[in-house]
Amino acid sequence: MRITIIGSGNVATHLAAAFKNAGHRLVQVYSQDIQNAALLAYHMKARPIDDLQQIDPETDLFVISIKDDAIVAVVKQLAGYKKLTVHTSGATDLAELAELIPEAGVFYPLQTFSKTKEVDFWSVPLCIEGVDETTTRDLEELARTISNNVYRISSAQRKTLHLAAVFACNFPNYLYDVARRLLQENKMGFELLRPLILETAQKVQDALPNAVQTGPAVRNDEITMTAHLQMLAGQPDLKILYELLSQGIIKNKNAEHAG
């Protein structure tokens, strides 16, 4: 398939590489910054552009991988080509594309990406949605050329999935940094926590999170929790966060026992 990538960020970079490795032809890479477009295009053997007026109509698919608030404006500029067009957003409703183009879809990879870290794309869940059954089947067929985990997910489901991903990925990463700063303030390094973080993540690969929950809150260890809160007396935001998370763990435990 001939594919044009709109965007040059983390998701666009990994998707483009996956498509190329699967034997698809990358026609063009668009970015407002021509240097970013050129860097990705060079590796994909594609043509870099920074103006949508330069779009090559000899493409089969536009993959829009840019900020959510810019998607509709870009689709409006591409609508005249009447090509299959998808976005990679976790939060943008398919209806926003369907109003503008007849062949629209979603191609959402559920993973955290960084340009400098390789990802085994075959293991990445790809969430697919099309305006009709034919489009959905076409996207599924494309998705299976780069991933072994392809799911039909509606816009409503995808929004929930995106929210869940924030809780599962973005918030824990923030908490890792809270932990790092606490250690740094007491002349210790974050490397002390890496084995603990890895073991915690590995446990939930085989069990549900509530089944492997540990710590003072799940034990209802009030003495330890009180001591922790005293240590956070000078950091009211972290104290509130500690209390909220601890209460959440306790409520989960109580709900399980009640059930």
Side-chain angles (χ1 to χ4, degrees):
M1 181 174 277
R2 296 167 299 180
I3 301 171
T4 291
I5 304 290
I6 309 297
S8 60
N10 294 333
V11 175
T13 297
H14 283 272
L15 262 180
F19 286 138
K20 182 176 181 295
N21 291 339
H24 299 288
R25 179 190 167 199
L26 277 297
V27 179
Q28 291 177 312
V29 174
Y30 164 84
S31 174
Q32 290 181 324
D33 185 327
I34 191 61
Q35 291 184 334
N36 289 339
L39 181 60
L40 179 55
Y42 173 78
H43 293 290
M44 299 302 117
K45 293 181 169 44
R47 178 189 169 205
I49 59 171
D50 61 356
D51 185 347
L52 290 175
Q53 297 298 318
Q54 300 172 328
I55 283 288
D56 186 342
E58 295 302 315
T59 190
D60 301 311
L61 170 68
F62 292 126
V63 177
I64 301 174
S65 186
I66 56 179
K67 292 181 180 179
D68 287 7
D69 58 7
I71 291 174
V72 171
V74 167
V75 172
K76 287 179 179 178
Q77 295 185 68
L78 298 175
Y81 294 100
K82 295 181 171 56
K83 302 289 185 176
L84 175 57
T85 303
V86 301
H87 71 65
T88 63
S89 166
T92 302
D93 199 295
L94 173 60
E96 296 191 40
L97 269 67
E99 291 176 357
L100 300 168
I101 48 179
E103 287 188 274
V106 178
F107 206 84
Y108 172 53
L110 182 63
Q111 184 55 276
T112 176
F113 294 105
S114 300
K115 289 183 181 180
T116 55
K117 188 176 188 304
E118 288 189 17
V119 170
D120 177 12
F121 217 96
W122 286 106
S123 67
V124 174
L126 275 177
C127 303
I128 304 305
E129 184 181 15
V131 290
D132 53 35
E133 181 61 24
T134 299
T135 303
T136 302
R137 284 201 305 266
D138 289 344
L139 292 177
E140 280 184 316
E141 183 178 342
L142 173 64
R144 290 195 178 100
T145 66
I146 62 174
S147 173
N148 289 323
N149 297 292
V150 179
Y151 302 88
R152 289 192 179 198
I153 301 290
S154 70
S155 285
Q157 290 174 316
R158 179 164 38 84
K159 289 177 181 179
T160 300
L161 182 60
H162 190 254
L163 174 60
V166 169
F167 275 95
C169 175
N170 305 141
F171 289 167
N173 198 57
Y174 164 73
L175 293 176
Y176 296 155
D177 197 57
V178 169
R180 178 194 63 79
R181 285 184 276 117
L182 288 171
L183 291 173
Q184 187 178 54
E185 290 166 3
N186 288 275
K187 297 180 173 56
M188 290 179 284
F190 185 70
E191 66 275 3
L192 284 167
L193 290 179
R194 286 196 169 104
L196 174 65
I197 291 169
L198 182 60
E199 177 65 17
T200 303
Q202 288 177 336
K203 281 181 179 179
V204 296
Q205 303 307 309
D206 303 309
L208 294 176
N210 60 329
V212 294
Q213 182 71 60
T214 61
V218 78
R219 297 193 304 268
N220 199 25
D221 184 349
E222 294 186 4
I223 293 176
T224 297
M225 288 189 288
T226 298
H228 286 170
L229 289 171
Q230 290 173 346
M231 294 170 67
L232 295 171
Q235 302 182 71
D237 289 347
L238 293 186
K239 185 177 179 182
I240 292 171
L241 184 60
Y242 185 101
E243 290 175 324
L244 286 172
L245 293 176
S246 295
Q247 287 302 313
I249 293 170
I250 292 169
K251 286 180 181 178
N252 274 357
K253 179 185 176 184
N254 291 340
E256 286 176 22
H257 288 169

